[in-house]
Amino acid sequence: SRPGAICGHRATGFANRRDFTALLLRACRAVGAVVQPCDVMLHWVPVDVVSSTIAESLTSTKTGEFVNIAWDGPLLADVLKATQLPSVSAEQWRASVVQQEETQGVRDLLL
């Protein structure tokens, strides 16, 4: 099995806090702005779908088959828009992130 981007559980919302999207959203909240434009498609697959698909493939009698687990997710721009934070350019956002102590995870990815 080969999953797409694993996101939170459909029922609980529990997700990996060190996932890029989670780090990005926390950084946006910390600096009070979102980066735009951002037209990346998020191919999110809920973790409960991934785990049940893997469990089913382990008990399957079929061998030698690959299972791609992918869903069409939202655009990152739509997720960021839902935060209702103001938009800034990529350069302004990056400069703000670098200055914020709370954005360590994202700073590590940017620098």
Side-chain angles (χ1 to χ4, degrees), residues 4-57:
I6 301 172
C7 67
H9 192 282
R10 289 179 293 175
T12 65
F14 185 79
N16 179 356
R17 292 180 44 87
R18 297 191 97 13
D19 176 73
F20 173 74
T21 308
L23 290 171
L24 176 65
L25 291 171
R26 281 201 313 275
C28 288
R29 187 180 64 217
V31 300
V34 297
V35 60
Q36 292 292 346
C38 199
D39 59 356
V40 174
M41 175 66 75
L42 298 172
H43 295 281
W44 284 345
V45 182
V47 67
D48 51 303
V49 172
V50 173
S51 62
S52 65
T53 303
I54 291 171
E56 287 174 27
S57 69

Side-chain angles (χ1 to χ4, degrees), residues 13-109:
F14 185 79
N16 179 356
R17 292 180 44 87
R18 297 191 97 13
D19 176 73
F20 173 74
T21 308
L23 290 171
L24 176 65
L25 291 171
R26 281 201 313 275
C28 288
R29 187 180 64 217
V31 300
V34 297
V35 60
Q36 292 292 346
C38 199
D39 59 356
V40 174
M41 175 66 75
L42 298 172
H43 295 281
W44 284 345
V45 182
V47 67
D48 51 303
V49 172
V50 173
S51 62
S52 65
T53 303
I54 291 171
E56 287 174 27
S57 69
L58 291 173
T59 59
S60 174
T61 58
K62 297 178 183 179
T63 59
E65 290 189 8
F66 290 95
V67 178
N68 288 317
I69 309 167
W71 287 11
D72 286 335
L75 285 173
L76 181 53
D78 293 337
V79 172
L80 295 176
K81 187 184 294 183
T83 67
Q84 299 184 339
L85 293 169
S87 299
V88 295
S89 71
E91 294 79 22
Q92 290 172 306
W93 186 84
R94 185 176 189 280
S96 296
V97 167
V98 169
Q99 294 173 5
Q100 289 288 330
E101 193 169 309
E102 300 171 48
T103 60
Q104 182 64 46
V106 174
R107 281 189 303 183
D108 292 345
L109 295 172

